[in-house]
Amino acid sequence: MGALGLGQALSGGMAGRRHAGGGVAAMLAPALALLILGYAAPMGAIAWTSLHRGGTMGLAAYAEVLGSPTFFRILGGTLQTAAVVTLLCVVLGYPFAYLVATRGRRHAGLLLALVAVPYLTSILIRSYAWIAILGGNGLVNRTLLALALIDEPLPLVFNAMGSYIGMVHVLLPMVVLPIYAAMRRIDPALPLAARNLGASSPAVFATVYLPLSAPGLAAGGVLVFLSALGFYITPALLGAPNDYLLAQAIEVRVAVLAEFDTAAAQACVLLALVGGLMLLFRRRIAGLAEGEDIVAAPERTRAGAGLRRRTLGAMLQRAPRLRALLAALADRMGACSGPALWTFGLLLLAFLLAPIVVVALVAFSSAPYLAFPPPGLSLRWVEAFLDDRRWLEAAAFSLAASLVAAATAVAVATPLAFALARRRFRGRQFLWLLAVSPMIVPHIVIGLGLFFTFVTVGLNGHPASFWIAYTVTGIPYVVIIMLSALRRLDVDLERAAASLGAHPLATLRTVTLPLLAVAIVSAFLFAFLTAFDDLVIALFLSSPRGTTLAMRMWEDIRLEISPKTAVVGVLEIAVLVATMLGTALVQRLRRTGYRAA
Amino acid sequence: MSIAATGQPVAVERLSKRFGEVVALDDVSFEVRAGEFLALLGPSGSGKSTVLMSIAGFVRPDAGRIRIGGRVIDDLPPHRRDIGMVFQRYALFPHLSVAENLAYPLRRRGIGAAEIARRVEEVLALVRLGGYGARGVDQISGGQQQRVAIARALIFRPAVLLMDEPMSALDRKLRQHMQMELKLLHREVGATIVLVTHDQEEALSMADRVAVLDEGRLRQIGVPEELYREPADAFVAGFIGQANFLPYDAPSARVAGFASPLGDALPAGGAPHCARPAIGVRPEDVTLHPPETPGTEPCRVVEAAFGGSTQSVLVAVGGHRLTARMPAGSRLWRAGEEAGLRFRPASCRVFDLPAHQPSSWSNGDED
């Protein structure tokens, strides 16, 4: 296919219709090849390994796993943890999203950025910060002891409590952002109409806001639950040492026991659980990624809610006094809900940002060990980091692998997103799920599969294995961000360019790509951060040939907990904030630039 | 003015297009003369936009061909057609300034920087936006955006200028102003213009000729007066201006239910043979008189509306309802009054009503 055909295929010009078949294939092929190599094949390798013991095929591994009460205890514990974390996230995240969407619109950008910054910092570094905050010698216990509220430190970490706190902190933004997006889609005239029709503000909330934002709530909840099922780092660092979740159990079987077949069988069970739920809730997840048109319109059945409302209404009808009392109460609540919401919101932001502040302080601590608050300030840990060749080498390796993988993900997944957004072809929905699912399938499963695959071909630990792995984990972010940007891009702009005489490739260069530039940059950033922050996949791929910075930090946290990890955290956050500010600045300059010109 | 006199004739020949099960265009043919301003008028889904998109090259018709200046352009990609287009929401590039938007088509044609600068200034002056070149397109008003869109579509001297509902994003007052501006610009530049609109007032007041489309078919094409005075069918009669339709009894040559015959209200030559004959009459051709005036049909005033220079009166007559419009100066009618009704001579036309249309109806106010 010539350059003309490619340009037309990308810009969706009708004149390229004759090349359409070839166009779609060319747009899909690179992403598909990497997804097969780095994702489908590893899943196959897990299934194959789980079905083979000692060279013979059979269900021995499954029989052992499913016959073990320990496995079911772990599975039950995992489901329970995921459920509790989901509930906490929804209960905390919904009012916060409501606050931002209704009362904080002027500061929405800032508030959401404050939510996003911890989301984008390494889970490893955040878990490390929680140890500093919640540990026996940490911030919370010291404060309480100093205030003489307690006599001895509370067990806040290295137990279920620590696990919950750490996981909620990681997953909260995942529920806040979709709920906020759903709330922003609510026509602002609707609550006013409800007020005008006689609803008190709590009634407006219950009858208009809640039902209309429910799809975002459900989507966020599903995503949090699925992610929590495969959690590894947070429970491993903050949870009870002897209370494994499923992901930890799998890792132990591989790393400590070397029982590959049962590890694979457990991974298959986890994969079946996540995959099944993912297929069951694919509409919700698609709605979350604004990919509604790909999977079908989200259904709008709220029969249950209608029933409840009717019976409640009937009850109130029979008790006029109760009704009046409730109405008065509702008016009161309406009056004081603003300050209460803001207080809650600020507390939640403090919760979200506390680890970052702590990391920054610990990084410049003069203490020879993790202590908070630090006894004094010094640059000794910054120097220690800069003097440590092993850490610097690992940092360089991580940086290189993540940059190359993020660039590859953008390069292969952008054409894929174009094809998904603009072409109609068979298997489109399947392809979307395939490309997006590495975001939802637990990385412990992906890592295990990559390990089996790369060991077979002798690539394990080779930089190429990291490149393939991190490209696969970056593709979902690129696809989701680019699809959403393409949906917002007015096709008439490209048509206008064509009518003004622009060749399809010129249209791509002068209109389409400049308008997608911000999306491309953020897609790259997300793909890069996912790769750079990864620990779980590196646990399986690392070797003397290649070790990532996350692996160094992980070993460090497990062995000695020196503030060197905090130094990395500070560097990472600084780069992140600089990038976010830089993007915002470029956008603002571009907007005001014309006036100066 | 160097932009002037570039218009080419356009010939649309037997165009057909289906989108799945939906027939968007069914054998549509018409011609636009060089320098002519043609409006494609029809309700939404009539196929008018599909015609425009086919000329621009964004929709490939299933059958038929399009010529510009005598040359068949069916196999030319959109960017080689040399057709200016003003999009409904203007499609100004948000990442480029006003001047960069205007320069865009010239850059694509490899024109030198000095020539581009000269022509951008010239076209900015033409649409009275001198000094706005450095602005971002989101820093100017809706009316100004529209003028930029028109200027951008004219700057490369296209053979034809297409406009897709260009007034729909403007408020009513600005719209009337821009309609006049566009007419002036058309006279000044002499371009061939094809405008798509669903607003009959806009079509009638701006275009040299109007083509009426409905359900993918061309119903009638002609100058505005012709469409108004001699509509080809009930759809055109109802869509252009207002009309009352009443079931027609051919053997007795009267409206079904009327006591008196139509007489001279029917044009000479009588009625064509139809399956569901109905007479169509414009409200201003219906006059009201005191009750029992000889030669009038007794009726009752249901509702009357005062409209400044005119009054509109809804009357019930012979089991039907119809609207009359008279100068407000004559006599103001009140609801409940008895009256006599008459049609002006040669004002009624007989149409064959389509099956889905009720046999007695009066189409609503324009807009």
Side-chain angles (χ1 to χ4, degrees):
Chain A
M1 189 176 74
L4 178 68
L6 180 67
Q8 279 162 344
L10 288 176
S11 63
M14 61 131 282
R17 200 176 60 157
R18 256 166 293 160
H19 306 285
V24 169
M27 289 154 88
L28 302 182
L32 210 52
L34 277 163
L35 282 170
I36 288 171
L37 191 65
Y39 185 51
M43 295 302 121
I46 292 180
W48 195 86
T49 310
S50 74
L51 292 170
H52 288 78
R53 172 171 285 185
T56 55
M57 192 166 164
L59 292 170
Y62 287 97
E64 188 183 324
V65 165
L66 297 177
S68 137
T70 318
F71 173 74
F72 282 102
R73 194 174 50 74
I74 291 173
L75 184 64
T78 306
L79 286 169
Q80 187 209 323
T81 304
V84 170
V85 167
T86 305
L87 191 70
L88 285 171
C89 281
V90 164
V91 167
L92 294 173
Y94 191 89
F96 187 78
Y98 181 75
L99 171 72
V100 179
T102 58
R103 292 182 163 80
R105 279 215 180 175
R106 262 191 304 157
H107 311 293
L110 178 68
L111 289 170
L112 292 177
L114 288 177
V115 172
V117 168
Y119 181 64
L120 295 173
T121 44
S122 154
I123 295 180
L124 202 54
I125 287 166
R126 284 190 276 170
S127 303
Y128 172 87
W130 281 119
I131 297 175
I133 295 173
L134 300 173
N137 212 6
L139 174 66
V140 173
N141 273 320
R142 279 189 168 218
T143 311
L144 293 177
L145 282 170
L147 293 172
L149 289 171
I150 51 173
D151 297 328
E152 55 188 74
L154 296 173
L156 296 173
V157 74
F158 309 125
N159 53 22
M161 173 75 130
S163 242
Y164 292 152
I165 292 177
M167 288 172 78
V168 167
H169 186 254
V170 171
L171 294 170
L172 198 54
M174 263 195 196
V175 59
V176 169
L177 297 178
I179 294 174
Y180 173 76
M183 286 175 173
R184 281 303 299 265
R185 281 196 288 266
I186 298 176
D187 180 351
L190 292 177
L192 297 182
R195 285 305 288 258
N196 174 256
L197 294 169
S200 64
S201 55
V204 170
F205 175 78
T207 56
V208 177
Y209 231 87
L210 192 59
L212 288 177
S213 55
L217 188 70
V222 167
L223 197 64
V224 165
F225 186 76
L226 289 178
S227 306
L229 282 180
F231 250 56
Y232 176 80
I233 303 171
T234 319
L237 284 179
L238 303 179
N242 52 359
D243 214 8
Y244 286 163
L245 296 189
L246 199 44
Q248 292 162 275
I250 294 170
E251 201 268 339
V252 165
R253 288 212 167 251
V254 177
V256 181
L257 306 173
E259 290 178 7
F260 292 158
D261 58 342
T262 47
Q266 291 190 352
C268 279
V269 172
L270 181 57
L271 187 63
L273 195 63
V274 171
L277 287 171
M278 190 169 80
L279 284 178
L280 198 63
F281 290 107
R282 65 182 185 280
R283 296 226 163 102
R284 294 262 171 253
I285 298 167
L288 185 88
E290 293 181 83
E292 292 99 342
D293 61 325
I294 285 186
V295 181
E299 79 280 32
R300 296 191 182 279
T301 45
R302 284 190 294 275
L307 191 69
R308 267 199 310 283
R309 214 175 306 143
R310 233 171 293 140
T311 46
L312 195 68
M315 264 167 56
L316 286 176
Q317 214 77 86
R318 262 177 261 133
R321 239 196 246 152
L322 179 66
R323 202 183 149 81
L325 190 72
L326 276 177
L329 191 69
D331 286 346
R332 285 282 169 74
M333 269 167 60
C336 70
S337 65
L341 259 181
W342 274 113
T343 311
F344 165 79
L346 292 176
L347 284 174
L348 198 74
L349 275 182
F351 167 71
L352 284 172
L353 296 173
I356 290 185
V357 176
V358 166
V359 162
L361 287 174
V362 169
F364 300 106
S365 161
S366 61
Y369 50 85
L370 174 66
F372 196 89
L377 296 178
S378 85
L379 289 176
R380 62 181 289 190
W381 293 110
V382 180
E383 283 158 17
F385 170 72
L386 293 175
D387 285 342
D388 192 330
R389 255 196 57 211
R390 288 169 64 241
W391 278 62
L392 288 180
E393 272 170 16
F397 183 85
S398 277
L399 212 55
S402 310
L403 284 174
V404 173
T408 312
V410 168
V412 301
T414 303
L416 173 69
F418 266 93
L420 288 173
R422 301 194 158 172
R423 295 315 182 88
R424 297 283 171 273
F425 53 90
R426 271 163 52 116
R428 203 162 137 268
Q429 179 182 337
F430 169 79
L431 197 65
W432 179 82
L433 263 180
L434 178 74
V436 169
S437 60
M439 192 175 78
I440 298 162
V441 167
H443 281 190
I444 195 96
V445 176
I446 297 179
L448 183 66
L450 286 166
F451 172 68
F452 290 147
T453 314
F454 289 144
V455 161
T456 321
V457 295
L459 259 184
N460 214 42
H462 190 277
S465 66
F466 288 94
W467 169 63
I468 292 171
Y470 292 156
T471 301
V472 167
T473 56
I475 284 176
Y477 293 98
V478 181
V479 166
I480 285 173
I481 292 171
M482 294 313 294
L483 267 181
S484 135
L486 279 171
R487 204 159 294 122
R488 275 180 277 124
L489 183 71
D490 186 354
V491 183
D492 273 353
L493 291 172
E494 290 168 303
R495 286 180 169 162
S499 84
L500 296 170
H503 183 278
L505 278 180
T507 303
L508 190 67
R509 180 173 56 79
T510 58
V511 175
T512 316
L513 290 181
L515 289 174
L516 293 175
V518 172
I520 291 173
V521 169
S522 49
F524 178 86
L525 196 65
F526 269 87
F528 171 79
L529 285 172
T530 316
F532 194 77
D533 289 346
D534 164 74
L535 168 70
V536 176
I537 292 174
L539 280 177
F540 292 98
L541 298 188
S542 282
S543 77
R545 283 199 276 182
T547 298
T548 64
L549 187 58
M551 278 299 291
R552 284 272 174 267
M553 293 198 284
W554 171 252
E555 286 160 5
D556 191 65
I557 295 175
R558 301 258 270 198
L559 297 178
E560 46 172 346
I561 315 199
S562 79
K564 260 192 275 183
T565 297
V567 172
V568 176
V570 166
L571 287 177
E572 202 184 314
I573 292 162
V575 170
L576 187 66
V577 170
T579 314
M580 285 172 83
L581 285 179
T583 318
L585 197 68
V586 166
Q587 273 178 295
R588 171 147 321 172
L589 276 182
R590 194 183 269 175
R591 225 173 293 144
T592 53
Y594 301 128
R595 246 173 262 149
Chain B
M1 190 60 53
S2 63
I3 295 173
T6 52
Q8 296 280 333
V10 179
V12 170
E13 297 167 8
R14 313 208 60 178
L15 224 52
S16 291
K17 177 71 185 174
R18 280 168 164 277
F19 292 111
E21 291 297 295
V22 183
V23 178
L25 290 180
D26 183 7
D27 200 13
V28 170
S29 301
F30 62 86
E31 285 187 24
V32 195
R33 299 177 202 114
E36 188 182 27
F37 192 150
L38 179 90
L40 293 175
L41 175 66
S44 62
S46 60
K48 56 190 193 300
S49 291
T50 309
V51 173
L52 205 72
M53 286 294 170
S54 302
I55 298 176
F58 298 121
V59 165
R60 182 176 283 259
D62 299 334
R65 60 175 48 176
I66 297 167
R67 290 173 203 274
I68 292 181
R71 182 164 156 244
V72 175
I73 57 162
D74 296 349
D75 288 326
L76 283 182
H79 65 282
R80 304 254 314 275
R81 292 196 174 195
D82 227 21
I83 292 174
M85 180 148 179
V86 177
F87 290 80
Q88 194 165 1
R89 282 160 291 137
Y90 313 141
L92 297 177
F93 303 128
H95 59 303
L96 303 179
S97 68
V98 168
E100 286 167 334
N101 264 282
L102 296 175
Y104 190 91
L106 304 181
R107 291 227 169 92
R108 299 283 80 74
R109 287 165 174 76
I111 292 170
E115 169 74 0
I116 288 179
R118 194 184 63 71
R119 276 165 74 173
V120 165
E121 283 312 312
E122 181 184 284
V123 83
L124 278 172
L126 178 73
V127 295
R128 295 186 293 101
L129 281 173
Y132 282 83
R135 297 271 189 112
V137 292
D138 53 354
Q139 291 166 351
I140 54 176
S141 71
Q144 291 170 334
Q145 286 178 352
Q146 192 197 40
R147 302 212 298 265
V148 174
I150 294 170
R152 187 180 69 175
L154 283 174
I155 196 169
F156 59 102
R157 298 166 193 162
V160 186
L161 177 63
L162 306 178
M163 308 182 93
D164 186 7
E165 304 258 8
M167 306 291 173
S168 63
L170 303 178
D171 63 47
R172 192 179 167 84
K173 208 157 184 179
L174 191 54
R175 199 184 311 166
Q176 286 171 346
H177 175 71
M178 286 309 298
Q179 286 172 1
M180 204 54 86
E181 293 254 312
L182 190 57
K183 261 187 106 146
L184 277 173
L185 194 69
H186 174 237
R187 184 169 304 166
E188 217 170 313
V189 175
T192 308
I193 297 183
V194 180
L195 171 116
V196 156
T197 181
H198 67 275
D199 181 349
Q200 47 122 342
E201 193 190 332
E202 186 172 303
L204 296 183
S205 67
M206 290 172 75
D208 299 325
R209 285 194 303 154
V210 177
V212 182
L213 283 101
D214 184 45
E215 293 180 335
R217 282 196 297 276
L218 180 68
R219 296 308 189 108
Q220 191 172 6
I221 180 166
V223 298
E225 303 85 71
E226 190 182 333
L227 295 186
Y228 191 77
R229 307 225 177 279
E230 293 158 43
D233 59 23
F235 174 80
V236 176
F239 198 72
I240 308 262
Q242 279 180 277
N244 297 294
F245 293 96
L246 301 163
Y248 177 64
D249 184 47
S252 63
R254 64 183 70 189
V255 172
F258 271 35
S260 46
L262 282 163
D264 67 351
L266 275 180
H273 180 75
C274 322
R276 290 184 72 206
I279 65 143
V281 58
R282 302 253 177 232
E284 63 267 29
D285 289 329
V286 182
T287 55
L288 291 185
H289 306 271
E292 287 163 38
T293 305
T296 63
E297 186 73 22
C299 65
R300 192 171 47 79
V301 176
V302 176
E303 196 54 83
F306 174 70
S309 58
T310 60
Q311 59 173 325
S312 293
V313 184
L314 181 67
V315 297
V317 52
H320 314 297
R321 284 188 169 197
L322 58 90
T323 308
R325 195 178 304 124
M326 287 152 292
S330 49
R331 174 199 197 286
L332 290 181
W333 294 90
R334 307 258 171 246
E337 276 187 277
E338 298 295 327
L341 170 152
R342 185 154 51 197
F343 299 134
R344 290 186 199 283
S347 65
C348 297
R349 298 175 62 85
V350 176
F351 298 107
D352 198 1
L353 275 194
H356 59 77
Q357 220 158 341
S359 65
S360 151
W361 58 284
S362 150
N363 74 313
D365 274 320
E366 56 253 72
D367 228 348

Short mmCIF file of all heavy atoms in Angstrom, two decimals, chain B residues 200-201 241-242 325 364-367:
data_model
loop_
_atom_site.label_atom_id
_atom_site.label_comp_id
_atom_site.label_asym_id
_atom_site.label_seq_id
_atom_site.Cartn_x
_atom_site.Cartn_y
_atom_site.Cartn_z
N GLN B 200 -36.95 27.54 4.71
CA GLN B 200 -37.46 27.98 3.41
C GLN B 200 -37.31 29.48 3.23
O GLN B 200 -37.03 29.96 2.14
CB GLN B 200 -38.92 27.56 3.26
CG GLN B 200 -39.78 27.87 4.45
CD GLN B 200 -40.94 28.77 4.10
OE1 GLN B 200 -40.94 29.42 3.07
NE2 GLN B 200 -41.93 28.80 4.98
N GLU B 201 -37.41 30.22 4.34
CA GLU B 201 -37.27 31.67 4.25
C GLU B 201 -35.86 32.03 3.75
O GLU B 201 -35.69 32.88 2.88
CB GLU B 201 -37.49 32.25 5.65
CG GLU B 201 -37.68 33.74 5.69
CD GLU B 201 -37.65 34.24 7.13
OE1 GLU B 201 -37.99 33.45 8.04
OE2 GLU B 201 -37.22 35.37 7.34
N GLY B 241 -43.82 28.26 2.16
CA GLY B 241 -44.95 29.05 2.63
C GLY B 241 -45.96 28.15 3.34
O GLY B 241 -45.66 27.01 3.69
N GLN B 242 -47.17 28.68 3.56
CA GLN B 242 -48.20 27.90 4.24
C GLN B 242 -49.28 27.52 3.26
O GLN B 242 -49.49 28.21 2.26
CB GLN B 242 -48.84 28.74 5.34
CG GLN B 242 -48.03 28.80 6.60
CD GLN B 242 -48.75 29.66 7.62
OE1 GLN B 242 -48.65 30.88 7.60
NE2 GLN B 242 -49.50 29.02 8.49
N ARG B 325 -55.53 34.50 6.20
CA ARG B 325 -54.73 35.62 6.65
C ARG B 325 -55.12 36.87 5.86
O ARG B 325 -55.19 36.83 4.64
CB ARG B 325 -53.24 35.34 6.48
CG ARG B 325 -52.39 36.34 7.27
CD ARG B 325 -50.89 36.09 7.17
NE ARG B 325 -50.52 34.75 7.58
CZ ARG B 325 -49.85 33.91 6.82
NH1 ARG B 325 -49.48 34.28 5.60
NH2 ARG B 325 -49.54 32.72 7.22
N GLY B 364 -48.31 24.26 9.70
CA GLY B 364 -48.08 25.24 10.76
C GLY B 364 -47.31 26.47 10.30
O GLY B 364 -47.00 26.62 9.12
N ASP B 365 -47.02 27.33 11.25
CA ASP B 365 -46.27 28.54 10.94
C ASP B 365 -44.89 28.19 10.43
O ASP B 365 -44.32 27.17 10.80
CB ASP B 365 -46.15 29.43 12.19
CG ASP B 365 -47.35 30.32 12.33
OD1 ASP B 365 -47.81 30.84 11.30
OD2 ASP B 365 -47.83 30.46 13.47
N GLU B 366 -44.34 29.06 9.63
CA GLU B 366 -42.98 28.81 9.15
C GLU B 366 -42.02 28.84 10.34
O GLU B 366 -42.34 29.37 11.38
CB GLU B 366 -42.57 29.82 8.08
CG GLU B 366 -42.67 31.26 8.48
CD GLU B 366 -43.86 31.96 7.82
OE1 GLU B 366 -45.01 31.68 8.18
OE2 GLU B 366 -43.61 32.74 6.94
N ASP B 367 -40.88 28.26 10.11
CA ASP B 367 -39.80 28.14 11.10
C ASP B 367 -40.05 26.99 12.05
O ASP B 367 -40.77 27.06 12.97
CB ASP B 367 -39.58 29.44 11.89
CG ASP B 367 -38.10 29.78 11.93
OD1 ASP B 367 -37.29 28.91 11.56
OD2 ASP B 367 -37.77 30.90 12.31
#
